[in-house]
Amino acid sequence: MATPGQSFYELYRRSSIGMALTDTLDDLISERRIEPQLAMKILANFDRSITEVLAEKVKARLTFKGHLDTYRFCDEVWTFLIKDVTFKMDNSTQTVQADKVKIVSCNSKRPGDPQ
Amino acid sequence: MSNTQVGNVYSQIIADVVESSRVDFEEGGVEEQVLEELRQGWQQKLSQLQVANFPWDPKPEPQPIVNPPTVPSNAGNYQPMSAPVQGFAPPSAQNNVQHIKTEPGLESPTTQGSFQTPVLTNPNATTAQQRAAQHLQQNYGQRAAASINAIQGNQMTQMQQHSQAQTMSTQRPQMTPEQYRQAMAATMQQRLQNQSNNVGSAQTDGAGDDTMEAFGVVKRGDEPMGRVAIDGMIREKIAAMGRSMEGGGLMLPLKQATNPQSRRQKAARQNGAGNAQHDGVDSDEDDKDGVKDEDLDEDAINSDLDDPEDGLNDEEDDDEGMGHIMLCMYDKVQRVKNKWCCVMKDGVLTVNGKEYVFHKATGEYEW
């Protein structure tokens, strides 16, 4: 699936796991344990890995409702700011509420990507 | 979608990244040990975020890491002791405590208490507040005396130093005796003017007005002195320059007469009258208001881009601190009038400090 030249979205670097990785790499770089180039490669590995794992291993579904406050579509990226959101998990009656949530969303069909 | 799945998914990602990075480490000539450190550091940092339970951390472990910052151990030990005692302990204990509390003197009994109580009262705090209080007094009564003296002595010397500093600072305007004399004379004049104008006659707010004006006079009288920036004075100078450039008050501000700093305005008015400004007294009011309003907004360039009414840009700042954010890909984004319907997939959702992963999500919201 992961052909060598293929690139993946760097979107997930902003998630908690991505930020934890970035922090750790920063520490290692500032301690001169690794080179920044190596850190970039690791981040690229992370981009690929999280994309694949999310696509293959996760089956959960959810629905959410709310009031759209702001929307933006730029460079094939949708950004929504939704207020008074309610998330509903499919496999449970549990709901999660939040005053506002920001959604950053990239195109699942990459241009030129056979999918 | 669930929070419990997150731990497994993330550990898979970590293992995957570590495995695939092994080659890169070898190519870069970096020891494998560093890779292991990377994995541990990564897992540790992730655990500290507490977004989910992870398979690698034993359940109770994250708690001691995260708790101390939120509740400092000193305060934690000190509060349960003092609160119950003050609340419903017998009078004798209260006397003791008050005795202890008043003893350390003026300002720092709490800090002192919080430093010493944890060691002494840990075993007793829960069993009997009364004994704890007595124990406390007995044990560090003598020690407290020494430290009390030290503290009071410190405060005395500090106060002395402070007062010295104050006297110094009041004398600071004197650069040379001549200038000081000029300044004093000017101040006296100002005071006389003030009193005749009934501006400073009340004197309930201290000598603030006078010193401000004195500085201003010093500055005016001897321009290149360039003392530490007294903003009001500089603004007045700018205002005066603006007035001279502006001419007849053509550039009126949008909202006049809403100047919050009437004191400065008074001072400016006085000075303006005293110094016989360039364009006379009559148009001073309007011009001053205009110039001052502009000066207050000096940093702004009055561009639309300064408008804070952009929700998305507001959000950017929050993201740093683990805001509520969903990172995903979209399959479909549709809109009919103000109704939006989106189908997302492969996402990570961080909300209320917890993280969720999902394969598919549908959202409906209206704008």
Side-chain angles (χ1 to χ4, degrees), chain A residues 20-88:
Chain A
L21 174 62
T22 317
D23 279 359
T24 315
L25 289 173
D26 274 347
D27 289 350
L28 287 175
I29 289 172
S30 60
E31 290 167 14
R32 311 243 164 175
R33 311 285 299 275
I34 61 171
E35 295 293 316
Q37 291 85 344
L38 180 56
M40 297 307 288
K41 283 184 184 170
I42 295 170
L43 281 174
N45 289 338
F46 169 78
D47 295 335
R48 177 186 54 75
S49 177
I50 191 170
T51 309
E52 287 176 2
V53 170
L54 281 177
E56 292 165 14
K57 307 289 180 193
V58 181
K59 297 286 174 239
R61 292 164 167 267
L62 93 144
T63 55
F64 58 97
K65 286 187 195 313
H67 299 284
L68 181 59
D69 187 75
T70 319
Y71 59 90
R72 173 165 62 200
F73 182 65
C74 186
D75 290 340
E76 294 279 305
V77 176
W78 274 107
T79 309
F80 300 107
L81 181 62
I82 305 179
K83 300 207 162 161
D84 302 323
V85 207
T86 308
F87 297 97
K88 190 154 174 263

Side-chain angles (χ1 to χ4, degrees), chain A residues 9 11-12 14-17 19-21 23-25 27-28 33-34 38 41-42 45-46 48-51 53-55 57-73 76 78-82 87 89 91 96-98 100-109, chain B residues 1-2 5 9-10 12-14 16-17 20-21 24-25 27 30 34 37-38 41-42 45-46 49 51 310-313 315-316 318-320 322 324-331 333 340 342 344-352 355-367:
Chain A
Y9 289 122
L11 159 89
Y12 298 111
R14 292 170 72 181
S15 64
S16 64
I17 185 172
M19 291 207 286
L21 174 62
D23 279 359
T24 315
L25 289 173
D27 289 350
L28 287 175
R33 311 285 299 275
I34 61 171
L38 180 56
K41 283 184 184 170
I42 295 170
N45 289 338
F46 169 78
R48 177 186 54 75
S49 177
I50 191 170
T51 309
V53 170
L54 281 177
K57 307 289 180 193
V58 181
K59 297 286 174 239
R61 292 164 167 267
L62 93 144
T63 55
F64 58 97
K65 286 187 195 313
H67 299 284
L68 181 59
D69 187 75
T70 319
Y71 59 90
R72 173 165 62 200
F73 182 65
E76 294 279 305
W78 274 107
T79 309
F80 300 107
L81 181 62
I82 305 179
F87 297 97
M89 327 302 167
N91 57 354
V96 177
Q97 292 197 324
K100 58 181 177 183
V101 69
K102 183 183 181 182
I103 299 179
V104 180
S105 176
C106 293
N107 195 344
S108 64
K109 297 174 190 61
Chain B
M1 141 156 177
S2 66
Q5 220 183 342
V9 170
Y10 279 12
Q12 255 182 12
I13 293 169
I14 291 176
D16 193 22
V17 170
S20 52
S21 300
D24 294 325
F25 268 73
E27 282 175 358
V30 182
V34 182
E37 269 180 50
L38 168 67
W42 189 359
K45 282 198 163 47
L46 203 45
L49 292 175
V51 290
D310 191 348
L312 288 173
N313 288 339
E315 265 314 277
E316 305 285 351
D318 291 349
D319 295 339
E320 302 302 323
M322 293 288 297
H324 306 303
I325 190 165
M326 177 195 283
L327 305 166
C328 56
M329 305 204 208
Y330 61 84
D331 265 344
V333 176
W340 290 72
C342 305
M344 313 292 196
K345 70 172 205 175
D346 298 348
V348 180
L349 167 66
T350 310
V351 68
N352 296 335
E355 198 132 305
Y356 307 87
V357 289
F358 60 84
H359 170 64
K360 194 171 182 188
T362 49
E364 289 171 21
Y365 30 82
E366 74 274 3
W367 187 68

Side-chain angles (χ1 to χ4, degrees), chain B residues 16 30 76 112 126 135-136 146-147 157 205 219 236 242 246 279:
Chain B
D16 193 22
V30 182
Q112 200 186 1
T126 52
H135 189 207
L136 222 165
S147 51
T157 51
D205 59 344
K219 198 174 166 54
E236 273 181 27
E246 190 182 320
D279 62 344

